[in-house]
Amino acid sequence: QVQLVESGGGLVQPGGSLRLSCAASGSIFSINAMGWYRQAPGKERELVATITSTGSTNYADSVKGRFTASRDNAKNTVYLQMNSLKPEDTAVYYCAASDGSTFKYWGQGTQVTVSS
């Protein structure tokens, strides 16, 4: 199996930046792609970004131009660089791993709060 541990969340003012990290362990050879999700209180969980094994990325319209997903294969870690943060970005952020069919491995989540 795959275990995912997220870090990097916290409190930041509007316009600020945070970088989330997600370290993978276990059967990491089985990972085909990673996804970043977020869930705000009272809202559905939404897919924020994906990154494939080759580094190709896709982003939700709400974060395009502000968020950047990347990966460091040597460290078995993926990142989500979040710039120009808005209060609407406040949520619990989760990373997830796909074996090529579904996102079946999930991290524990890390809280991001954007507020003055």
Side-chain angles (χ1 to χ4, degrees):
Q1 302 300 104
V2 174
Q3 294 80 45
L4 305 174
V5 179
E6 296 148 324
S7 62
L11 174 65
V12 65
Q13 293 185 342
S17 298
L18 285 173
R19 186 178 70 166
L20 306 183
S21 300
C22 178
S25 61
S27 301
I28 56 177
F29 63 87
S30 66
I31 297 176
N32 175 258
M34 300 289 295
W36 287 98
Y37 290 79
R38 67 185 181 186
Q39 187 166 31
K43 296 185 180 296
E44 299 283 341
R45 184 163 61 188
E46 64 173 331
L47 180 62
V48 174
T50 60
I51 182 166
T52 69
S53 60
T54 60
S56 297
T57 55
N58 284 286
Y59 302 94
D61 288 341
S62 58
V63 306
K64 284 181 179 177
R66 300 188 298 119
F67 290 13
T68 302
S70 61
R71 63 193 303 153
D72 186 338
N73 291 332
K75 296 181 178 180
N76 298 320
T77 301
V78 296
Y79 304 93
L80 186 67
Q81 178 68 46
M82 305 184 294
N83 299 325
S84 302
L85 283 162
K86 306 174 181 179
E88 307 94 278
D89 297 318
T90 296
V92 177
Y93 284 72
Y94 301 87
C95 65
S98 170
D99 63 358
S101 58
T102 61
F103 287 107
K104 63 180 181 180
Y105 305 110
W106 292 82
Q108 82 286 354
T110 184
Q111 177 70 47
V112 172
T113 302
V114 185
S115 179
S116 298

